[in-house]
Amino acid sequence: MKSYAVVFVCMIFLISLAPSVSAETFVTGKEITDSHLVDSLTLKIVEDGIIRVTSGDLKWMKINITVPQQSANQQVSYSDNLVQDELGNNFVYIYEKDPVSGTIDYMSQTDITVKSQVTTFLPPSYTIPLDVKKYLIATENIQSDNFRIKTLADSITHGSQSDFEKIAKLAIWVNEYLTYDLSYSNVILDAVSVLDAKAGVCAEYTTLFVAFSRASDIPARYVSGFAYGDNGWEEHAYSEVYLGKWVPVDALWLEVGSLDATHIKYTVQLDNQVKNDVKVYGTDLGEIIWEKDDKIINTLSVSYGDAISDFTLGASALEVEPGDDIVFYVKIKQEDYRVLDVSLEPCLSDPTIITIDEKERRVIVDADSRDKIVYWVGHVSSGLAENMVYTCPLTFNSKYLENKVLDVVISSQDRSSVLLNPSVAKPVISLGDEQEIDVGIKRISGSGPVDVGIVTSDYFDEGAVEVLSGSEASAIFMFKPTRLGINNVTVYSSTGDIETVYFDVIEKGSVYIDYLEHLDLMRVGEISSLNITIANDKASDETVKLFYGGSIETLVLPANSVIVVSSALDTSVSGKKTDAVHITGQGIVDAEYADYVVYDVPVVSYDYSYDYSLMKLLFAVSVSADYAENLVVSADDVSLSSESVFGRHTFFFDVSPGDYKVDLSWDDRGGNSYSDEVNVVIGPEDIISKIIRLIKEFIQNM
């Protein structure tokens, strides 16, 4: 009769799961309005879920649940134990032994205080830390090494004067290129697929932006969490980029550099695949089902920041005639980093009183720059009724700036008028040079002073000019353009005249690696530096990225300057070395190579023998670790030498048996000298050895 042993096989499963039913979010507490202005929030979040194993003998279950993260702007207290992953994300850890019916019903609570993020300073030069470099690497779904993505990123960021301007341009491009489409809510697309689809939700906006940022050599990480949108609290994705410190970027809501307090960070990721994980142990286990994964978000308190009021809204004239043109402008004091959407809306009337071209504008605010200028040209209708006075209020709108109103009065009463005749002193100038705008002013009617001004995207100036009746006068404006290419300057008067002049700004000079200074020869372990001299011959400051030895450093080079950057050479291993050094920037590519040798101290050993038939001393020297240079071996007033020895080398001396002192001297490749001596004793040949030697010689000579 055969007997059988029954074997129970226990298995451990570790899986990442998304809930098998739709996760729901329940909202309680205080209502939130104007989420973009929320400065501080206090929340209580409850994670409520059920996980079930359909069959088998379940011994235990372990669950890691994503929860809000502790950070500088997000203070969190947890009700359960925590574990961390390799990226530093906190997870609530839940363990249950012998779950009843193979089911775990879990509940976890977090209390959170969230502050808005405002970036007021970015270091002009910085090095990317080792633990941040992983956010430069392409992943399965974020293909930053894809040719299309790299080419597009280069094109979008062309002409940028800082890394912040680069990421702002990338976020704006993604925001304008993609169409928000809720049908993408339950799919995970890679960056190339998003580029093809031209649509998506927050995950797709973030995926494409992160790919563009990494393709531009700017570290970026994918952030998953929650935010308060048009439909209340909802799952949300945004990103963070490293510009000397981590800076938030929400490409969907176009919050760049600044982030409202309704953004709750749950995890940071290298890729866009974000899931909880479950580990189960048991026998004959069936399917693992995440039946419930709900969140209850209770808003305990909310506070709002004020809209920014420190800006100037003005116009070239507030009292005009039909047919006049008006320049409206906003001067924004740049105290932080962000992207602003602004608009100027004229009054609604029939007939139309004032029209404005391109009412909506999108501007990048950079705290390192001078005041930001946004301007519009308005046209007063020439068909307004005579002998009537019209008042047209124009409204300035922005989510983050205080709304303001300008009242423009239009009447057909005779007013003074002038004719403007502007010209540029230099039709083509180099970046960093000063441009002169000469404005000829001819009085047509009236008398008294006239306000004359010029405005560009980054410069504004205005002054009063006395123009006598029937005469001419002039005004001169001097400024330094900051943008390459065709620049336009709008020249205006307070009497309703507007003219535009153009000139080209070209780049003169170059940025390059001037030379590399280093020792050609170094000993293993010796501390030695590579001095990299970078020259900027341009008349403007330039930002470059320096790549050397696996490090990436962002540098700001002042105009017409030379800087030296020192970096340690790798002397850990001997051998010939070639280190590549290259820089990149806007229209800047240069590379140089540092060739050097790292040597080690040669290890010298020796042995000897004596050939009685030839009457020669055979002194063998063995050299390891590195070459022994200028090796000299002396015996019996005879010196033999070799210029360079590595391995085994034998020296032959014609000497009779006896006692000798053998002296050795050598250098390492760095020129350091070493010496040693050995006593050699050559005794008389014993009779048996002599007989054997003579027999061998006889046989060889037969």
Side-chain angles (χ1 to χ4, degrees):
M1 180 178 179
K2 295 182 179 179
S3 61
Y4 296 89
V6 179
V7 179
F8 294 92
V9 179
C10 294
M11 301 185 67
I12 295 178
F13 295 93
L14 174 61
I15 61 173
S16 294
L17 288 177
S20 58
V21 297
S22 297
E24 293 191 58
T25 301
F26 301 93
V27 178
T28 63
K30 294 186 177 296
E31 183 181 358
I32 295 176
T33 59
D34 297 327
S35 60
H36 59 281
L37 291 178
V38 173
D39 183 57
S40 177
L41 273 178
T42 303
L43 306 167
K44 187 183 294 292
I45 299 180
V46 176
E47 314 277 345
D48 183 13
I50 298 173
I51 299 177
R52 179 171 60 88
V53 178
T54 57
S55 61
D57 182 14
L58 180 62
K59 300 299 184 184
W60 53 254
M61 184 184 297
K62 297 177 182 178
I63 314 170
N64 290 339
I65 306 294
T66 56
V67 289
Q69 300 300 303
Q70 195 80 245
S71 65
N73 71 298
Q74 188 166 284
Q75 301 303 308
V76 187
S77 61
Y78 306 92
S79 63
D80 299 277
N81 295 325
L82 298 177
V83 293
Q84 277 195 345
D85 66 7
E86 65 279 3
L87 297 178
N89 293 307
N90 287 325
F91 291 82
V92 162
Y93 172 73
I94 298 172
Y95 170 80
E96 188 165 332
K97 188 176 181 181
D98 298 322
V100 177
S101 302
T103 300
I104 282 186
D105 188 343
Y106 66 86
M107 183 173 289
S108 178
Q109 177 180 299
T110 52
D111 295 293
I112 315 168
T113 298
V114 189
K115 301 287 187 182
S116 62
Q117 298 181 62
V118 179
T119 305
T120 58
F121 171 78
L122 290 174
S125 299
Y126 60 90
T127 301
I128 298 174
L130 286 175
D131 63 337
V132 174
K133 287 183 181 177
K134 56 179 167 281
Y135 296 106
L136 283 168
I137 300 171
T139 64
E140 178 184 357
N141 279 5
I142 300 177
Q143 309 103 315
S144 51
D145 55 353
N146 176 269
F147 177 77
R148 287 174 61 198
I149 286 177
K150 289 182 72 68
T151 302
L152 257 177
D154 288 343
S155 174
I156 295 165
T157 59
H158 180 74
S160 299
Q161 296 180 319
S162 68
D163 281 349
F164 179 78
E165 186 176 354
K166 284 184 180 181
I167 63 112
K169 284 182 175 179
L170 292 172
I172 290 170
W173 192 92
V174 169
N175 181 273
E176 295 176 350
Y177 177 78
L178 297 182
T179 300
Y180 189 77
D181 187 342
L182 282 172
S183 67
Y184 288 85
S185 296
N186 295 317
V187 298
I188 299 176
L189 295 183
D190 60 51
V192 174
S193 298
V194 175
L195 201 58
D196 292 335
K198 299 182 181 180
V201 292
C202 57
E204 283 68 47
Y205 282 70
T206 302
T207 296
L208 185 55
F209 170 79
V210 170
F212 278 150
S213 181
R214 292 181 187 176
S216 303
D217 295 318
I218 297 173
R221 58 192 185 189
Y222 186 99
V223 180
S224 67
F226 273 74
Y228 198 91
D230 293 338
N231 300 313
W233 287 108
E234 54 194 4
E235 291 183 352
H236 192 60
Y238 60 100
S239 61
E240 292 174 336
V241 297
Y242 191 82
L243 303 176
K245 62 180 181 179
W246 288 108
V247 174
V249 177
D250 188 328
L252 173 60
W253 294 347
L254 213 55
E255 296 187 43
V256 182
S258 300
L259 201 67
D260 66 70
T262 72
H263 285 72
I264 305 172
K265 181 194 293 189
Y266 265 65
T267 64
V268 297
Q269 302 291 337
L270 293 169
D271 204 73
N272 65 354
Q273 303 180 57
V274 183
K275 294 183 179 180
N276 298 318
D277 64 70
V278 179
K279 184 183 289 185
V280 297
Y281 178 81
T283 59
D284 300 324
L285 298 180
E287 185 181 359
I288 302 172
I289 299 176
W290 206 310
E291 293 186 341
K292 178 183 177 183
D293 182 33
D294 294 341
K295 286 180 175 59
I296 303 170
I297 301 179
N298 184 4
T299 304
L300 303 177
S301 68
V302 56
S303 65
Y304 298 88
D306 295 327
I308 299 169
S309 59
D310 189 11
F311 68 96
T312 301
L313 174 65
S316 57
L318 294 177
E319 296 182 2
V320 294
E321 296 180 357
D324 280 353
D325 293 326
I326 313 171
V327 170
F328 301 99
Y329 59 85
V330 173
K331 290 194 294 182
I332 304 168
K333 189 175 182 180
Q334 303 190 100
E335 296 180 336
D336 57 21
Y337 294 81
R338 65 176 70 231
V339 172
L340 288 177
D341 284 336
V342 298
S343 67
L344 188 65
E345 296 289 341
C347 57
L348 297 176
S349 61
D350 187 14
T352 299
I353 298 175
I354 295 177
T355 58
I356 293 178
D357 298 332
E358 298 182 50
K359 293 182 290 185
E360 297 179 353
R361 301 293 176 85
R362 183 162 277 171
V363 295
I364 299 171
V365 178
D366 185 336
D368 288 338
S369 302
R370 56 194 179 189
D371 288 355
K372 189 70 180 179
I373 309 296
V374 186
Y375 71 96
W376 299 261
V377 174
H379 310 280
V380 181
S381 173
S382 59
L384 298 177
E386 295 184 1
N387 301 319
M388 291 286 292
V389 177
Y390 299 87
T391 299
C392 181
L394 289 93
T395 305
F396 173 77
N397 299 303
S398 172
K399 285 201 306 183
Y400 300 103
L401 301 180
E402 186 178 80
N403 292 345
K404 294 186 178 182
V405 176
L406 277 179
D407 288 328
V408 177
V409 177
I410 304 100
S411 70
S412 56
Q413 298 174 1
D414 289 339
R415 296 172 56 246
S416 64
S417 63
V418 298
L419 182 65
L420 299 179
N421 183 25
S423 62
V424 295
K426 304 171 186 175
V428 179
I429 67 169
S430 297
L431 187 65
D433 288 351
E434 197 166 49
Q435 179 64 283
E436 178 181 314
I437 307 295
D438 299 315
V439 184
I441 310 162
K442 183 177 181 179
R443 171 67 70 178
I444 303 300
S445 63
S447 62
V450 176
D451 291 334
V452 177
I454 67 169
V455 62
T456 72
S457 61
D458 54 8
Y459 185 77
F460 172 87
D461 194 10
E462 183 181 272
V465 180
E466 185 70 40
V467 188
L468 299 177
S469 178
S471 65
E472 296 183 8
S474 64
I476 297 176
F477 298 91
M478 308 287 292
F479 72 104
K480 287 185 178 181
T482 62
R483 297 287 172 180
L484 291 169
I486 300 298
N487 280 235
N488 63 290
V489 179
T490 299
V491 184
Y492 64 85
S493 73
S494 57
T495 59
D497 192 22
I498 291 179
E499 300 291 340
T500 303
V501 292
Y502 302 88
F503 60 92
D504 194 8
V505 179
I506 62 173
E507 201 161 28
K508 183 174 67 176
S510 59
V511 176
Y512 55 93
I513 301 172
D514 194 10
Y515 60 90
L516 305 178
E517 182 183 23
H518 58 88
L519 296 175
D520 294 327
L521 200 61
M522 286 151 282
R523 185 172 170 176
V524 168
E526 180 180 347
I527 297 175
S528 188
S529 296
L530 171 65
N531 294 324
I532 305 165
T533 300
I534 306 173
N536 177 16
D537 292 342
K538 297 181 180 180
S540 59
D541 295 353
E542 294 292 332
T543 299
V544 299
K545 289 189 182 296
L546 170 64
F547 298 81
Y548 168 69
S551 69
I552 305 175
E553 187 170 355
T554 298
L555 304 170
V556 175
L557 310 178
N560 298 307
S561 68
V562 174
I563 69 167
V564 178
V565 179
S566 293
S567 184
L569 289 168
D570 180 12
T571 61
S572 59
V573 180
S574 63
K576 291 184 177 180
K577 305 288 186 71
T578 298
D579 288 356
V581 179
H582 71 277
I583 57 173
T584 62
Q586 189 57 51
I588 301 167
V589 178
D590 194 17
E592 294 290 341
Y593 299 89
D595 296 315
Y596 58 97
V597 174
V598 178
Y599 70 90
D600 207 344
V601 176
V603 177
V604 177
S605 61
Y606 30 79
D607 59 79
Y608 63 89
S609 61
Y610 188 78
D611 189 328
Y612 287 91
S613 62
L614 299 176
M615 299 292 287
K616 289 182 181 293
L617 169 64
L618 284 65
F619 194 89
V621 179
S622 296
V623 181
S624 60
D626 209 333
Y627 285 88
E629 307 286 345
N630 305 317
L631 176 62
V632 178
V633 180
S634 302
D636 195 29
D637 297 327
V638 175
S639 295
L640 302 177
S641 64
S642 180
E643 288 186 2
S644 184
V645 176
F646 186 80
R648 188 175 177 85
H649 188 84
T650 302
F651 296 87
F652 297 88
F653 293 92
D654 295 321
V655 295
S656 301
D659 295 348
Y660 300 94
K661 184 179 75 170
V662 178
D663 295 310
L664 298 94
S665 65
W666 66 92
D667 300 332
D668 61 27
R669 289 202 278 179
N672 301 300
S673 298
Y674 307 85
S675 64
D676 200 1
E677 64 178 30
V678 60
N679 292 319
V680 174
V681 178
I682 306 171
E685 188 176 20
D686 63 83
I687 188 63
I688 295 176
S689 297
K690 185 174 183 178
I691 292 171
I692 293 172
R693 176 175 59 79
L694 292 173
I695 292 172
K696 287 181 178 179
E697 291 176 358
F698 175 78
I699 294 172
Q700 289 174 354
N701 293 327
M702 287 181 62

